[in-house]
Amino acid sequence: MKILITGGAGYIGSIVTEMCLAAGDDVTVYDNLSTGHRRAVPADARFVEGDVSDQERLAGVFRETGTEAVIHMAGFIEAGESMRDPGKYFRNNTCRPVSLLEAMVEAGVGEILFSSTAAVYGNPVTELLDEDHPREPTNAYGESKLLFERLLDWYDRVHGIRHAALRYFNAAGATGERGEDHRPETHLIPLILQTALGRRGRIDIFGTDYPTPDGTCIRDYIHIADLGQAHLLALRSLERGSIHYNLGNGRGYSVREVIDSVRRVTGRDFPVVESGRRAGDPGVLVASSERISAELGWQPQHPSLDEIVASAWEWHQSHPDGYQE
Ligand code: UDP
């Protein structure tokens, strides 16, 4: 397929680009490099530096490349930051990409995969979250993504653009060549690994008074290669109609358990400090990914947390300065 990937210079985007290329797709990465890395973009992908708010540019690129489907991964991703600066999230994750949808209408591109998030659900009312669980985000990040999901419903209803909203739980791990390099880094696993490498003095646990067995937040960590595989499957199923899918392993780990996993995998010890809660963090987020398993046959190949951490550790050791940009 001919695909345009917004945010294809980012962590998940560059790995999905790598996997689409390996599957034989023709890929154009469209990224404004505000947080992405030019070096993360695979050499076989076409690269266009541009912004999702630039409708004219996008429509032109769609026509030149004969784009058949968009994977929209560009966006800001820090739940904590969204509680200090919600406008940044509503502007960039909800409002500006309306121009992307308008460019798709203009150029006749009829399919889009959207990087959504478990943060659309808020605090769970059932043990596992399935796609029908109430959507009551506890942070502005989750709300900004939920609002864009709703825009997608309208573009389907009015313009017939089909979408798959993929609600990611906690993407982690690396492939041989590509891994996680956020500036600043805010995610748990890379932060702990940087601490294990001695590049940070300590890791803070944000909150030890959650109603969980050890008092720390529980998340469902999913290997980036399994996440990427779901994109390949979802992309090829869009002709069936619009859909929402959760992507997780169905098993949660507390912050302390993740720290223990890093100690086991790296064989290193490091300082851990118990700190206060981060605003907007739900206590527990664990997926039911039954729907995508049943409908598309998706099965995670790397469900073990230690395996996920080991792949990330390998990448951090071989790329201690990330992409060095
Ligand atoms: N977390 C933490 N210390 C850190 C960074 C994160 O305790 O330095 C916690 C955070 O509060 C959350 C979990 O680790 O409960 C995962 O956070 P991350 O930012 O990686 O992903 P999120 O779940 O927010 O998407």
Side-chain angles (χ1 to χ4, degrees):
M1 280 180 95
K2 296 198 168 80
I3 306 167
L4 181 136
I5 303 187
T6 75
Y11 165 47
I12 303 177
S14 62
I15 290 173
V16 168
T17 300
E18 172 184 322
M19 294 178 75
C20 287
L21 289 166
D25 293 316
D26 174 279
V27 184
T28 302
V29 166
Y30 186 91
D31 197 302
N32 67 7
L33 297 179
S34 66
T35 55
H37 307 281
R38 181 66 184 86
R39 285 188 186 160
V41 179
D44 292 342
R46 207 175 288 110
F47 178 73
V48 178
E49 189 171 342
D51 196 275
V52 290
S53 61
D54 193 341
Q55 183 178 333
E56 206 178 314
R57 184 93 189 281
L58 276 162
V61 176
F62 288 151
R63 291 198 188 96
E64 281 157 30
T65 57
T67 297
E68 296 163 284
V70 170
I71 304 182
H72 175 42
M73 309 184 103
F76 291 124
I77 56 167
E78 289 177 41
E81 182 189 50
S82 80
M83 297 302 282
R84 298 188 297 274
D85 186 2
K88 175 174 175 181
Y89 283 75
F90 293 121
R91 189 171 291 124
N92 286 285
N93 292 356
T94 314
C95 302
R96 292 160 73 94
V98 170
S99 301
L100 167 69
L101 298 176
E102 288 295 321
M104 290 176 68
V105 173
E106 193 183 324
V109 182
E111 297 184 341
I112 180 167
L113 285 194
F114 171 53
S115 298
S116 189
T117 170
V120 299
Y121 296 115
N123 284 310
V125 296
T126 52
E127 198 173 325
L128 295 183
L129 295 156
D130 68 17
E131 291 82 355
D132 297 323
H133 184 281
R135 264 96 52 214
E136 300 284 350
T138 56
N139 52 62
Y141 164 65
E143 188 73 49
S144 73
K145 291 279 185 175
L146 181 59
L147 287 168
F148 196 73
E149 284 193 8
R150 295 188 58 89
L151 293 184
L152 288 171
D153 288 335
W154 287 102
Y155 277 79
D156 185 351
R157 207 191 283 192
V158 177
H159 293 296
I161 292 179
R162 292 182 297 276
H163 63 266
L166 303 179
R167 294 175 181 155
Y168 307 156
F169 283 64
N170 288 61
T175 61
E177 285 180 56
R178 294 185 176 78
E180 198 165 1
D181 178 9
H182 296 114
R183 314 280 172 101
E185 190 54 76
T186 62
H187 291 100
L188 182 64
I189 291 178
L191 284 174
I192 308 175
L193 291 173
Q194 288 171 358
T195 313
L197 273 174
R199 300 216 148 207
R200 288 177 189 269
R202 61 185 239 193
I203 183 74
D204 285 276
I205 298 181
F206 292 151
T208 54
D209 59 347
Y210 285 95
T212 58
D214 70 15
T216 67
C217 283
I218 292 180
R219 293 288 183 274
D220 183 344
Y221 295 88
I222 170 173
H223 195 292
I224 189 74
D226 288 328
L227 192 80
Q229 186 58 28
H231 290 71
L232 298 186
L233 293 171
L235 201 55
R236 282 147 183 86
S237 74
L238 275 172
E239 73 272 2
R240 297 188 211 165
S242 294
I243 190 78
H244 303 97
Y245 287 129
N246 285 342
L247 293 175
N249 279 311
R251 159 105 210 250
Y253 292 92
S254 71
V255 174
R256 290 191 209 276
E257 287 176 317
V258 177
I259 291 170
D260 287 344
S261 169
V262 172
R263 287 200 172 111
R264 252 189 326 273
V265 167
T266 65
R268 299 191 185 186
D269 203 4
F270 41 84
V272 175
V273 175
E274 296 189 357
S275 303
R277 291 185 178 198
R278 193 172 67 179
D281 268 347
V284 181
L285 288 174
V286 182
S288 161
S289 296
E290 282 299 306
R291 184 186 280 174
I292 187 166
S293 297
E295 294 186 3
L296 305 186
W298 178 75
Q299 285 299 336
Q301 302 301 306
H302 313 283
S304 126
L305 178 63
D306 283 4
E307 196 184 339
I308 294 171
V309 167
S311 74
W313 177 233
E314 215 170 286
W315 194 79
H316 280 272
Q317 281 180 300
S318 58
H319 298 77
D321 296 309
Y323 290 106
Q324 295 181 317
E325 285 182 336

